[in-house]
Amino acid sequence: MNTAGHSPATTRRGLELTPFRGLRYDPDRVGSLAAVTSPPYDVVVRPDGLHHLQSADPYNIVRLILPQADTPSARNKQAAETLRRWLAEGVLAADREPALYVYEQRDDDGMLQRGLIGALRVSDPAEGVVLPHEDVIPHVVADRAALMRATSANLEPLLLTYRGNGTTATTTMIIERTAERPPLLSTTTEDGFSHRLWAITDSSDLTGIREDLAQHQALIADGHHRWATYRLLRAEHPSPSAWDYGLVLLVDTARYPLRVRAIHRLLHGLPVADALEALAGLFRVERLDVPLAEAQEALADAACAGNAFLLAGDGAFHLVDRPDPDLLARTVPADRPAAWRTLDATVLHATLLEHVWHIPEDSPAHIAYIHDTAATVAKAERDGGTAVLMHPIREEVVRALARQGVTMPRKSTSFGPKPASGLVLRALDL
């Protein structure tokens, strides 16, 4: 996929980002804005991260995006009742007029990301406007859809990227001019990121952005399951309706490049010793009695030469690389491009999970997908499972496959920084 501008001849309709009346926390009603935010729902490491966020403030957004009850229906009912109560109490309030929101994130390492939060017209992949690069897990889509139905809200924006036309692009100039004004809100979360938000309501600015974005298409960087949920819910509601649009953060990576990191796997009920025994004669295995940082360096070096993974959970790290070519030929589907067949995620899912360890990739009872490296290792050691640590895929590989319409195995990449949940929400009945 080429995320540069496209002519009407190749893309009938480009990105359509529309203003909405954002729901935002009243800072006078909560302990602090930082205390009510959360990472996206699928980044919160349960149960520790969830409990930490719940105790940070009684109004933390996790009570909406990850409600806790005995059954799915009870969880969704709880989230809907909580949202209605917070609106009635004035904890959350809608802005007076529709806006697009400039969102900025900074960290101490010099990362600066700015983008636009708005309601994006939901489209199918065949339209070539918003393209996925990963497969999704059906039960996760069903879970998110049930929550959105119950709350009638988009509770957190997903992250999309496009390739703009440089610093002179209309959208870029409007964003950077807006960021010179005092923000609507400013806060710093415990991960060290500072967050600022501005509203764009000027009609000429909104028109300029609409005309500029209509020339572009986007790649889903984070939020494949929520985008699939938007598409599912749009199909359930006759158009035109508020369900024709979904909440997104849209970032021009030509101006503000993202970081690409790996998503790791935690294999429940598979001790490291058993995982290693099954690999005998199929992969090279090297034990590394070194700290995590050094083990990751060894993984990076090995990944330059081919497929490589780190296994952990027994107090050491085990570098797994140099797979048997005959094994790959037998287990990796041959009907995809070479760039897909050689992905670490492809080999992990098609060869290791399916044929060597016999672990279903879509069963939460058998496998968890975790973004934080140290947390993955710690949970494996505590639970007696196996952590499979991955090396990040280069962004250009992701884009090249998406350009061909080829989706990667689920949870293959982690683009970031991800937008904090809780800074602005979208109610579909406003």
Side-chain angles (χ1 to χ4, degrees):
M1 182 197 71
N2 184 352
T3 50
H6 282 249
S7 69
T10 56
T11 301
R12 294 189 306 275
R13 302 172 71 180
L15 298 168
E16 297 179 24
L17 192 68
T18 66
F20 69 103
R21 292 179 62 200
L23 289 183
R24 297 190 293 112
Y25 281 99
D26 181 344
D28 295 330
R29 298 295 307 273
V30 297
S32 73
L33 289 174
V36 296
T37 64
S38 163
Y41 78 97
D42 59 338
V43 181
V44 176
V45 179
R46 297 193 222 191
D48 312 79
L50 180 64
H51 294 162
H52 170 72
L53 290 166
Q54 284 182 322
S55 62
D57 190 283
Y59 299 114
N60 190 281
I61 191 68
V62 295
R63 298 179 187 275
L64 299 182
I65 64 174
L66 289 172
Q68 297 300 293
D70 292 336
T71 66
S73 60
R75 289 195 292 270
N76 296 328
K77 180 181 178 183
Q78 181 185 98
E81 292 174 347
T82 299
L83 177 58
R84 285 195 294 269
R85 184 173 69 253
W86 289 359
L87 288 168
E89 294 173 354
V91 174
L92 286 170
D95 287 333
R96 289 199 176 109
E97 55 183 322
L100 296 178
Y101 296 87
V102 174
Y103 176 46
E104 176 190 276
Q105 293 166 279
R106 290 179 183 264
D107 70 7
D108 294 336
D109 296 329
M111 162 64 77
L112 170 63
Q113 178 175 289
R114 288 180 180 146
L116 284 176
I117 295 177
L120 186 72
R121 182 182 71 88
V122 177
S123 59
D124 294 323
E127 295 184 55
V129 177
V130 175
L131 296 185
H133 67 267
E134 288 185 358
D135 295 329
V136 297
I137 304 171
H139 76 79
V140 177
V141 175
D143 174 75
R144 290 295 99 184
L147 178 63
M148 287 189 203
R149 289 190 200 98
T151 59
S152 192
N154 300 151
L155 300 172
E156 47 185 346
L158 54 85
L159 176 61
L160 301 182
T161 72
Y162 73 104
R163 301 290 291 179
N165 300 323
T167 57
T168 60
T170 300
T171 300
T172 297
M173 291 192 294
I174 293 171
I175 287 174
E176 296 185 357
R177 184 176 73 239
T178 301
E180 295 174 356
R181 306 197 315 248
L184 292 175
L185 64 85
S186 179
T187 190
T188 300
T189 46
E190 64 178 19
D191 58 4
F193 271 94
S194 65
H195 308 260
R196 297 199 294 171
L197 194 76
W198 297 262
I200 299 176
T201 57
D202 179 81
S203 60
S204 62
D205 284 346
L206 294 174
T207 298
I209 290 170
R210 182 177 67 249
E211 293 175 350
D212 182 25
L213 294 181
Q215 307 172 59
H216 297 284
Q217 59 179 178
L219 176 76
I220 301 175
D222 184 72
H224 283 80
H225 290 90
R226 281 167 285 167
W227 184 255
T229 300
Y230 291 166
R231 291 179 53 219
L232 174 65
L233 295 174
R234 181 200 58 177
E236 293 177 357
H237 296 81
S239 292
S241 78
W243 298 94
D244 292 340
Y245 297 83
L247 187 64
V248 307
L249 167 62
L250 187 61
V251 175
D252 176 3
T253 53
R255 182 70 180 93
Y256 297 105
L258 298 183
R259 295 169 175 161
V260 185
R261 292 177 172 157
I263 302 176
H264 310 296
R265 277 67 171 160
L266 176 61
L267 308 182
H268 305 300
L270 179 67
V272 174
D274 292 351
L276 293 173
E277 182 179 359
L279 294 175
L282 302 176
F283 286 74
R284 184 183 72 163
V285 178
E286 179 184 357
R287 180 185 175 99
L288 304 175
D289 290 301
V290 297
L292 174 58
E294 291 183 33
Q296 288 181 291
E297 291 176 4
L299 174 62
D301 290 341
C304 293
N307 300 118
F309 313 90
L310 277 179
L311 303 191
D314 62 349
F317 296 98
H318 306 270
L319 179 63
V320 175
D321 65 353
R322 301 186 186 180
D324 174 33
D326 291 338
L327 172 68
L328 298 185
R330 293 196 311 271
T331 57
V332 175
D335 60 347
R336 306 286 183 89
W340 181 89
R341 297 197 307 270
T342 56
L343 289 172
D344 288 339
T346 297
V347 172
L348 172 63
H349 284 257
T351 303
L352 288 172
L353 293 181
E354 183 173 352
H355 289 277
V356 177
W357 293 326
H358 307 292
I359 292 176
E361 63 178 9
D362 57 355
S363 169
H366 294 88
I367 186 169
Y369 299 85
I370 304 178
H371 294 70
D372 185 89
T373 310
T376 310
V377 175
K379 289 175 74 66
E381 292 183 344
R382 184 180 63 200
D383 301 341
T386 294
V388 182
L389 306 184
M390 310 284 288
H391 184 67
I393 300 170
R394 300 191 314 278
E395 182 175 358
E396 56 265 31
V397 175
V398 176
R399 293 190 180 279
L401 287 171
R403 186 184 302 124
Q404 300 173 62
V406 177
T407 55
M408 299 191 301
R410 58 196 60 173
K411 299 293 184 181
S412 293
T413 59
S414 176
F415 284 86
K418 304 178 190 304
S421 298
L423 295 180
V424 60
L425 293 66
R426 174 179 176 249
L428 277 76
D429 52 4
L430 289 179

